[in-house]
Amino acid sequence: MPLTDRGIDLDVGLLLALDALLKDRNVTHAAARLSITQSALSARLTRLRQVLNDPLFVPAASGRGMIPTPHALALQPDLKRLLEGLSDFARGAARFDPATSRRVFRIAISENPAAILAPDLIPLILSQAPGTRIAFTLPDKPRIPELLEKGEIDLFIGAAEDGGGELIARPLYQEELVTAQRKGHPRGTGPLTLDAFCALDHLLISTSGGGFGGMIDEALSRTGRERVVSVSIQSYALTPLILTSSDLICTLPRRFLTRFTADLDLFTTPLDLAPFRIFLFSHPRMRSDPAHTWLRQQVHRCAQAAAGRFPG
């Protein structure tokens, strides 16, 4: 009769006890192998005899050690395979091989940090883990903690105020805002004054779409000034195309604009704007996951490389 039909509960401790006794055929030596007392091992042997309905071991004629019964010997090959399978199962949860993994990684990230990190991160991941896939998605900021908790995204990369809760936040790099104009702009290349900044037409990136004001306008308002925002777009990718074909200026993170200095001139923005930091957010439940740990390491590696190439 199958063991499950008899309501039998064979735990790993009993299986290990049987394995040790089959190997050592001596209660003292088997108990030492398992780092338990002889009485604890004797209790396990009693339970095994009840579960398997067989004596399993009998005293040796010499009075030293024990002799396994035919039933115990018949169980030994299957017991060996079972314990090896359990060992593989335990190790599998803590093992990640990038070279053979087929895992899909999902990172919620806004366009600006994506433009900084993705050009290095994508080839780095695919060179080490060619079977994996990586998805960059625009963040649904109010739902970030929920999405990380459910595992619908692996990481979120963004500003400190967009994380929160029980999430683990680790700084990636510090960023500052600068102002860009096309090369050959009629303003010239002298220092950008506050008067000139307010008089020129501005391009603004509104990530929510259609907005004509933001943190720059709030900073200007505190000084009693305002600017003219003539064009609002929703995508960072359009910025260099529009700037190089117009006399608009635009204020964005330095690391993003530095990629386009062949066509754009960058200037210190004439406002007191504090630098801000970009963070990597993850959920505590993924702290020990080896694949997740590996992914976080790659992101940090790329952030350090970007910081060296495009210092803030």
Side-chain angles (χ1 to χ4, degrees):
M1 181 183 297
L3 295 182
T4 53
D5 291 346
R6 296 160 61 184
I8 293 172
D9 180 17
L10 265 175
D11 62 35
V12 176
L14 292 180
L15 296 177
L16 292 172
L18 180 56
D19 179 63
L21 287 166
L22 283 166
K23 289 176 177 176
D24 293 310
R25 302 186 184 189
N26 180 289
V27 172
T28 301
H29 295 165
R33 177 188 293 271
L34 296 173
S35 299
I36 61 175
T37 64
Q38 292 185 46
S39 60
L41 180 57
S42 295
R44 292 188 187 184
L45 177 56
T46 299
R47 177 62 180 153
L48 281 165
R49 285 167 168 165
Q50 294 171 348
V51 169
L52 298 175
N53 194 29
D54 188 85
L56 298 175
F57 298 91
V58 297
S62 65
R64 301 180 62 183
M66 300 185 298
I67 304 298
T69 66
H71 185 50
L73 290 174
L75 291 173
Q76 192 167 20
D78 287 338
L79 176 63
K80 182 176 184 294
R81 285 192 292 269
L82 178 58
L83 291 176
E84 287 175 349
L86 288 172
S87 180
D88 289 342
F89 174 79
R91 286 195 302 267
R95 184 174 58 230
F96 172 70
D97 182 3
T100 60
S101 175
R102 310 292 295 179
R103 185 155 174 169
V104 176
F105 295 115
R106 302 184 186 278
I107 300 177
I109 185 170
S110 299
E111 275 194 278
N112 169 45
I116 301 302
L117 297 174
D120 293 321
L121 184 60
I122 291 174
L124 178 62
I125 289 178
L126 295 183
S127 67
Q128 296 186 40
T132 63
R133 292 187 290 173
I134 182 167
F136 289 90
T137 62
L138 291 176
D140 183 355
K141 293 180 181 178
R143 297 185 63 219
I144 289 297
E146 172 194 351
L147 295 175
L148 285 170
E149 181 179 6
K150 290 181 176 179
E152 295 183 26
I153 58 174
D154 293 292
L155 300 173
F156 166 58
I157 297 174
E161 61 269 20
D162 296 325
E166 61 177 349
L167 301 181
I168 299 172
R170 185 174 175 184
L172 286 179
Y173 58 86
Q174 183 168 286
E175 187 65 278
E176 67 172 345
L177 296 174
V178 296
T179 301
Q181 66 182 40
R182 68 175 176 87
K183 289 190 178 296
H185 194 283
R187 186 191 73 81
T189 58
L192 183 62
T193 66
L194 184 58
D195 286 340
F197 184 83
C198 294
L200 291 166
D201 288 338
H202 289 253
L203 169 69
L204 179 142
I205 287 79
S206 171
T207 54
S208 59
F212 285 88
M215 60 177 297
I216 300 296
D217 302 278
E218 294 171 1
L220 283 170
S221 178
R222 290 192 290 270
T223 68
R225 307 292 293 266
E226 60 181 10
R227 63 175 178 169
V228 178
V229 177
S230 301
V231 179
S232 172
I233 60 176
Q234 199 168 0
S235 171
Y236 276 78
L238 289 175
T239 302
L241 299 176
I242 294 174
L243 290 182
T244 55
S245 62
S246 71
D247 291 335
L248 295 168
I249 64 172
C250 185
T251 302
L252 288 176
R254 178 184 291 277
R255 285 189 177 88
F256 174 77
L257 291 171
T258 299
R259 291 185 177 273
F260 309 104
T261 50
D263 300 305
L264 301 177
D265 291 322
L266 308 185
F267 302 90
T268 300
T269 304
L271 283 168
D272 185 16
L273 300 172
F276 60 94
R277 290 197 294 175
I278 297 295
F279 288 83
L280 174 67
F281 294 92
S282 58
H283 196 274
R285 73 183 186 87
M286 304 301 289
R287 187 194 304 268
S288 300
D289 179 75
H292 206 270
T293 300
W294 178 85
L295 177 62
R296 297 195 302 268
Q297 290 171 345
Q298 308 318 305
V299 172
H300 279 281
R301 181 176 171 184
C302 290
Q304 291 171 358
R309 258 197 328 278
F310 308 115

